[in-house]
Amino acid sequence: MIEDRVLIAGAGPVGLVAAAQLVREGIPVTVLEAGNELSVESRASTFHPPTLDMLEDLGVARQLIGEGLTAPKLQYRSKKDGVIAQFDFGEIADRTRHPYRVQSEQFKLTRILLAQLHNDSNFRIEFGARLENVAQDADCVRVSLRIDDREQIRTGRWLIGADGARSEVRRSLGVEFEGFTWPERFLVLSTPFDFDAVMPDLVSVNYVADPECWQFLLRIPGMWRVMFPIPQDVSDTAALTTDFGQSLLRRVVPGITRFEIAHTTLYRVHQRVAKQFRVGRAFLAGDAAHINNPLGGMGMNGGIHDAVNLTSRLVAIYEGRAADHELDRYDAQRRLVTLESVQTQTIQNKRDLEAKDEASQAEFRDRLRGIAADPDARKRYLERVSMIASLRRAEELG
Ligand SMILES: Cc1cc2nc3c(=O)[nH]c(=O)nc-3n(C[C@H](O)[C@H](O)[C@H](O)COP(=O)(O)OP(=O)(O)OC[C@H]3O[C@@H](n4cnc5c(N)ncnc54)[C@H](O)[C@@H]3O)c2cc1C
C-alpha cells in the first residue's frame, strides 16, 4: 500500500524545517533519521535575517533568538590595517522583520522544531533508520532503510533528501555532486577568552584578512568561535594538538600564555552543487544539494531557503493549486541561486581574506571602503550578505 505522505531523509535543520512547513499545512510527513537522536555536533551557528523571518512564520524564531545572541553588526579587518569597514543590518530594517544575524548553534533549532512537531498527529519520525536506496514509479517513491540491521521499506508520495553532504538519496538517484575540495582544512576553536577586553571595537562577527593565516571571530552565547585555515603540510593530528591551537590563538592576541579551549573542530571544506535538485518524485535540499565554505554562513541558511521554497510548492500540489511542472521551478530557482550567489560569494569571501599580494589586498580594502562610504551600495551589500538578494533573485527567475 502506498502511503500518502512526504518522506524526508535526515532530521537536520533542513529536514526538520521542511517537515514543519508541511505539517502545519496538514500534510502527513515521515522523517527518517540515521542517528539514534538529533545531532548535537557543533556546526553552523549563524541565522540570517530572512531565515529568521521564515522561522518566525513557523513559530520557532522567538525561542531560537532567546537561546542565541543577536548580532546587528559585521566587521572586516586586516592584520595590517585594523578595521577596514563595518556594516549594520539596521540599515535594511525595511527589508526584514529581523535586521540582525542570530548566533545560535544549529542543534538548538532542530531541538525546538522537533519539540513543536511532536505535538502534531501528521508527524512521524523514525530514529536509527538509515536510508540506503530509492526507487520510484509514476505514483510513489519507495525507500529501503536499514533498521536494527534489517532492511525495511517505506513508501510515500514524495521524498526530500535532506540527508547531508554524503547524501545516500543523491547517490541512489545517481546525481553528480560537481565542484571541488579546497586543499586546506578549517579549524574552529571555541574559547571563553574575553577578546573584547584586548581588541577594541570588536563586534560579534569579525573577519580578519591576513595573507599568512586569516581569522574569523564569531561570538556565540558564552563563547567565541575562532576559525583558521590549516595548510596541507600540517597533519590532522598536529592540527588538533593543544599547542597548535594555542599558537593559532596567539596570532589573534599575542602574548597570552594559555587560552582556555573548550572545543576544537577540524574539517574539510568543499564547494559542490548537485547537478539536479529534482529527479521525478525525489528532491535534494540543504547539504545534500550543495556545500560551500562557511565564510558568510550561507550553507545552512541556503538549505533552509531550499526547504521553504520546495515545501511551498508541494503544499500547492497537495491542495490542487499547481501542476507537477511547478516542482521543476524548485530545481531551476534554487540551483541557479546556489551557483550564482552562495558559491560565488563564499569563494570570494575566502579569496579576499587570504589575498597574498599587495594589489589584491588593496583591491579588497578599496572595494569594502567604497561600499561602506556609499549608502546605496551599503544597502545592496547588506542585502547580498544577508541572502535577501538571493531570495529576490530566485523569485525573479519565476
Ligand atoms: C564540522 C562542520 C562545521 C560547520 N560549520 C559551519 C559554520 O560555521 N557555518 C555554516 O554556515 N555552516 C557550517 N557547516 C555546514 C552546516 O552545518 C550545514 O550546512 C547544515 O548542517 C546543513 O543542514 P542539513 O539539514 O542539510 O544537513 P545535516 O545537518 O548534515 O543533517 C543531515 C541529517 O541526515 C542524517 N542522515 C545522513 N545520512 C542519512 C541516511 N542515509 N538516512 C537517514 N538519515 C541520514 C544525519 O544523521 C543528519 O541528522 C558546518 C558543517 C560541518 C560538518
Side-chain angles (χ1 to χ4, degrees), residues 278-297:
R278 176 185 188 189
V279 179
R281 296 189 160 271
F283 304 89
L284 298 172
D287 276 18
H290 47 80
I291 46 177
N292 51 265
N293 80 62
L295 298 168

Side-chain angles (χ1 to χ4, degrees), residues 237-251:
T237 315
L240 289 166
T241 59
T242 311
D243 283 353
F244 190 75
Q246 296 289 338
S247 73
L248 287 175
L249 288 169
R250 274 197 289 275
R251 280 180 173 273

Side-chain angles (χ1 to χ4, degrees), residues 130-183:
R130 174 170 293 281
L131 182 146
E132 291 188 329
N133 257 305
V134 180
Q136 53 180 314
D137 58 30
D139 302 314
C140 86
V141 59
R142 184 174 288 106
V143 300
S144 321
L145 305 171
R146 174 88 19 209
I147 301 177
D148 291 336
D149 237 6
R150 284 205 311 273
E151 191 190 356
Q152 296 200 24
I153 305 289
R154 299 286 180 273
T155 58
R157 215 164 132 187
W158 307 99
L159 168 68
I160 302 177
D163 52 341
R166 297 204 176 113
S167 171
E168 284 295 314
V169 174
R170 191 183 64 235
R171 185 204 50 76
S172 185
L173 296 172
V175 175
E176 244 180 276
F177 208 25
E178 295 177 318
F180 65 91
T181 300
W182 294 101

Side-chain angles (χ1 to χ4, degrees), residues 165-380:
R166 297 204 176 113
S167 171
E168 284 295 314
V169 174
R170 191 183 64 235
R171 185 204 50 76
S172 185
L173 296 172
V175 175
E176 244 180 276
F177 208 25
E178 295 177 318
F180 65 91
T181 300
W182 294 101
E184 60 273 62
R185 289 137 297 154
F186 286 10
L187 184 76
V188 183
L189 301 173
S190 302
T191 170
F193 182 79
D194 185 8
F195 287 104
D196 287 304
V198 287
M199 294 174 77
D201 309 324
L202 210 58
V203 296
S204 294
V205 183
N206 312 270
Y207 296 93
V208 185
D210 178 0
E212 279 173 28
C213 180
W214 54 261
Q215 298 131 37
F216 172 42
L217 280 87
L218 184 81
R219 198 200 308 257
I220 59 169
M223 202 73 81
W224 282 92
R225 278 182 165 189
V226 194
M227 182 184 287
F228 306 88
I230 303 300
Q232 273 173 295
D233 58 0
V234 178
S235 70
D236 283 4
T237 315
L240 289 166
T241 59
T242 311
D243 283 353
F244 190 75
Q246 296 289 338
S247 73
L248 287 175
L249 288 169
R250 274 197 289 275
R251 280 180 173 273
V252 186
V253 186
I256 305 286
T257 5
R258 197 137 204 93
F259 294 87
E260 184 184 336
I261 299 177
H263 198 271
T264 306
T265 315
L266 177 70
Y267 61 102
R268 289 221 157 271
V269 189
H270 317 265
Q271 305 281 158
R272 293 184 189 276
V273 180
K275 207 159 182 179
Q276 285 165 267
F277 283 14
R278 176 185 188 189
V279 179
R281 296 189 160 271
F283 304 89
L284 298 172
D287 276 18
H290 47 80
I291 46 177
N292 51 265
N293 80 62
L295 298 168
M298 295 186 161
M300 176 187 61
N301 285 272
I304 292 174
H305 301 177
D306 294 342
V308 171
N309 184 307
L310 172 59
T311 51
S312 66
R313 294 171 201 286
L314 287 173
V315 169
I317 300 265
Y318 264 87
E319 291 176 351
R321 290 186 283 111
D324 183 88
H325 61 77
E326 176 72 20
L327 296 168
D328 289 335
R329 292 167 65 203
Y330 165 68
D331 186 310
Q333 289 186 354
R334 291 304 308 164
R335 188 166 184 279
L336 194 79
V337 157
T338 301
L339 287 166
E340 270 185 7
S341 305
V342 178
Q343 294 292 323
T344 312
Q345 178 88 36
T346 53
I347 291 172
Q348 179 75 48
N349 288 348
K350 181 171 177 295
R351 300 242 186 263
D352 285 342
L353 294 185
E354 69 193 10
K356 301 277 182 251
D357 57 285
E358 177 51 42
S360 325
Q361 291 163 15
E363 189 279 324
F364 171 51
R365 245 182 355 246
D366 296 347
R367 173 162 32 95
L368 271 188
R369 285 181 179 152
I371 295 169
D374 172 349
D376 289 335
R378 253 192 341 256
K379 278 198 166 194
R380 282 197 301 277

